PDB file of all heavy atoms in Angstrom:
ATOM      1  N   THR C1250     189.981  97.256  52.722  1.00 98.00           N
ATOM      2  CA  THR C1250     189.283  98.488  52.371  1.00 98.00           C
ATOM      3  C   THR C1250     190.009  99.172  51.225  1.00 98.00           C
ATOM      4  O   THR C1250     191.169  99.572  51.370  1.00 98.00           O
ATOM      5  CB  THR C1250     189.207  99.438  53.575  1.00 98.00           C
ATOM      6  OG1 THR C1250     188.486  98.799  54.642  1.00 98.00           O
ATOM      7  CG2 THR C1250     188.503 100.729  53.190  1.00 98.00           C
ATOM      8  N   ILE C1251     189.323  99.299  50.074  1.00 98.00           N
ATOM      9  CA  ILE C1251     189.922  99.939  48.911  1.00 98.00           C
ATOM     10  C   ILE C1251     189.473 101.396  48.913  1.00 98.00           C
ATOM     11  O   ILE C1251     188.325 101.716  48.575  1.00 98.00           O
ATOM     12  CB  ILE C1251     189.495  99.248  47.605  1.00 98.00           C
ATOM     13  CG1 ILE C1251     189.683  97.734  47.712  1.00 98.00           C
ATOM     14  CG2 ILE C1251     190.297  99.796  46.418  1.00 98.00           C
ATOM     15  CD1 ILE C1251     189.163  96.960  46.525  1.00 98.00           C
ATOM     16  N   HIS C1252     190.359 102.283  49.289  1.00 97.00           N
ATOM     17  CA  HIS C1252     190.027 103.690  49.455  1.00 97.00           C
ATOM     18  C   HIS C1252     189.875 104.370  48.090  1.00 97.00           C
ATOM     19  O   HIS C1252     190.808 104.406  47.299  1.00 97.00           O
ATOM     20  CB  HIS C1252     191.107 104.380  50.289  1.00 97.00           C
ATOM     21  CG  HIS C1252     191.241 103.809  51.661  1.00 97.00           C
ATOM     22  ND1 HIS C1252     190.496 104.254  52.727  1.00 97.00           N
ATOM     23  CD2 HIS C1252     192.011 102.790  52.138  1.00 97.00           C
ATOM     24  CE1 HIS C1252     190.809 103.554  53.806  1.00 97.00           C
ATOM     25  NE2 HIS C1252     191.725 102.665  53.481  1.00 97.00           N
ATOM     26  N   GLY C1253     188.648 104.855  47.844  1.00 97.00           N
ATOM     27  CA  GLY C1253     188.353 105.524  46.586  1.00 97.00           C
ATOM     28  C   GLY C1253     187.708 104.651  45.530  1.00 97.00           C
ATOM     29  O   GLY C1253     187.320 105.149  44.473  1.00 97.00           O
ATOM     30  N   ALA C1254     187.548 103.347  45.798  1.00 97.00           N
ATOM     31  CA  ALA C1254     186.956 102.439  44.814  1.00 97.00           C
ATOM     32  C   ALA C1254     185.447 102.381  44.963  1.00 97.00           C
ATOM     33  O   ALA C1254     184.895 102.575  46.049  1.00 97.00           O
ATOM     34  CB  ALA C1254     187.541 101.039  44.956  1.00 97.00           C
ATOM     35  N   GLY C1255     184.767 102.088  43.851  1.00 97.00           N
ATOM     36  CA  GLY C1255     183.324 101.969  43.837  1.00 97.00           C
ATOM     37  C   GLY C1255     182.864 100.528  43.966  1.00 97.00           C
ATOM     38  O   GLY C1255     183.570  99.679  44.531  1.00 97.00           O
ATOM     39  N   HIS C1256     181.690 100.230  43.402  1.00 97.00           N
ATOM     40  CA  HIS C1256     181.080  98.906  43.553  1.00 97.00           C
ATOM     41  C   HIS C1256     181.833  97.839  42.768  1.00 97.00           C
ATOM     42  O   HIS C1256     181.862  96.680  43.190  1.00 97.00           O
ATOM     43  CB  HIS C1256     179.623  98.968  43.087  1.00 97.00           C
ATOM     44  CG  HIS C1256     178.831  97.743  43.428  1.00 97.00           C
ATOM     45  ND1 HIS C1256     178.648  97.313  44.732  1.00 97.00           N
ATOM     46  CD2 HIS C1256     178.164  96.849  42.639  1.00 97.00           C
ATOM     47  CE1 HIS C1256     177.904  96.213  44.737  1.00 97.00           C
ATOM     48  NE2 HIS C1256     177.599  95.915  43.482  1.00 97.00           N
ATOM     49  N   GLY C1257     182.425  98.221  41.659  1.00 95.00           N
ATOM     50  CA  GLY C1257     183.188  97.282  40.849  1.00 95.00           C
ATOM     51  C   GLY C1257     184.605  97.775  40.650  1.00 95.00           C
ATOM     52  O   GLY C1257     184.910  98.411  39.634  1.00 95.00           O
ATOM     53  N   PRO C1258     185.501  97.528  41.589  1.00 96.00           N
ATOM     54  CA  PRO C1258     186.876  98.017  41.471  1.00 96.00           C
ATOM     55  C   PRO C1258     187.560  97.507  40.194  1.00 96.00           C
ATOM     56  O   PRO C1258     187.248  96.429  39.697  1.00 96.00           O
ATOM     57  CB  PRO C1258     187.557  97.445  42.724  1.00 96.00           C
ATOM     58  CG  PRO C1258     186.438  97.225  43.693  1.00 96.00           C
ATOM     59  CD  PRO C1258     185.271  96.817  42.853  1.00 96.00           C
ATOM     60  N   ASN C1259     188.502  98.295  39.711  1.00 95.00           N
ATOM     61  CA  ASN C1259     189.269  97.946  38.508  1.00 95.00           C
ATOM     62  C   ASN C1259     190.537  97.211  38.958  1.00 95.00           C
ATOM     63  O   ASN C1259     191.616  97.781  39.009  1.00 95.00           O
ATOM     64  CB  ASN C1259     189.602  99.213  37.725  1.00 95.00           C
ATOM     65  CG  ASN C1259     190.221  98.919  36.379  1.00 95.00           C
ATOM     66  OD1 ASN C1259     190.182  97.784  35.896  1.00 95.00           O
ATOM     67  ND2 ASN C1259     190.810  99.925  35.771  1.00 95.00           N
ATOM     68  N   PHE C1260     190.386  95.932  39.277  1.00 95.00           N
ATOM     69  CA  PHE C1260     191.466  95.187  39.906  1.00 95.00           C
ATOM     70  C   PHE C1260     192.643  94.933  38.969  1.00 95.00           C
ATOM     71  O   PHE C1260     192.465  94.711  37.763  1.00 95.00           O
ATOM     72  CB  PHE C1260     190.956  93.840  40.418  1.00 95.00           C
ATOM     73  CG  PHE C1260     190.071  93.945  41.625  1.00 95.00           C
ATOM     74  CD1 PHE C1260     188.775  93.462  41.591  1.00 95.00           C
ATOM     75  CD2 PHE C1260     190.543  94.513  42.793  1.00 95.00           C
ATOM     76  CE1 PHE C1260     187.960  93.551  42.710  1.00 95.00           C
ATOM     77  CE2 PHE C1260     189.734  94.606  43.921  1.00 95.00           C
ATOM     78  CZ  PHE C1260     188.446  94.125  43.875  1.00 95.00           C
ATOM     79  N   ASN C1261     193.836  94.919  39.548  1.00 91.00           N
ATOM     80  CA  ASN C1261     195.019  94.489  38.824  1.00 91.00           C
ATOM     81  C   ASN C1261     195.220  92.987  39.047  1.00 91.00           C
ATOM     82  O   ASN C1261     194.485  92.351  39.809  1.00 91.00           O
ATOM     83  CB  ASN C1261     196.249  95.292  39.270  1.00 91.00           C
ATOM     84  CG  ASN C1261     196.474  95.245  40.781  1.00 91.00           C
ATOM     85  OD1 ASN C1261     196.169  94.256  41.433  1.00 91.00           O
ATOM     86  ND2 ASN C1261     197.014  96.327  41.332  1.00 91.00           N
ATOM     87  N   GLN C1262     196.227  92.421  38.374  1.00 87.00           N
ATOM     88  CA  GLN C1262     196.454  90.982  38.475  1.00 87.00           C
ATOM     89  C   GLN C1262     196.900  90.578  39.882  1.00 87.00           C
ATOM     90  O   GLN C1262     196.703  89.441  40.305  1.00 87.00           O
ATOM     91  CB  GLN C1262     197.489  90.540  37.441  1.00 87.00           C
ATOM     92  CG  GLN C1262     197.655  89.023  37.328  1.00 87.00           C
ATOM     93  CD  GLN C1262     196.378  88.308  36.922  1.00 87.00           C
ATOM     94  OE1 GLN C1262     195.624  88.791  36.076  1.00 87.00           O
ATOM     95  NE2 GLN C1262     196.112  87.155  37.523  1.00 87.00           N
TER      96      GLN C1262
END
Side-chain angles (χ1 to χ4, degrees):
T1250 299
I1251 311 174
H1252 299 272
H1256 191 60
N1259 188 14
F1260 288 121
N1261 54 32
Q1262 188 60 40

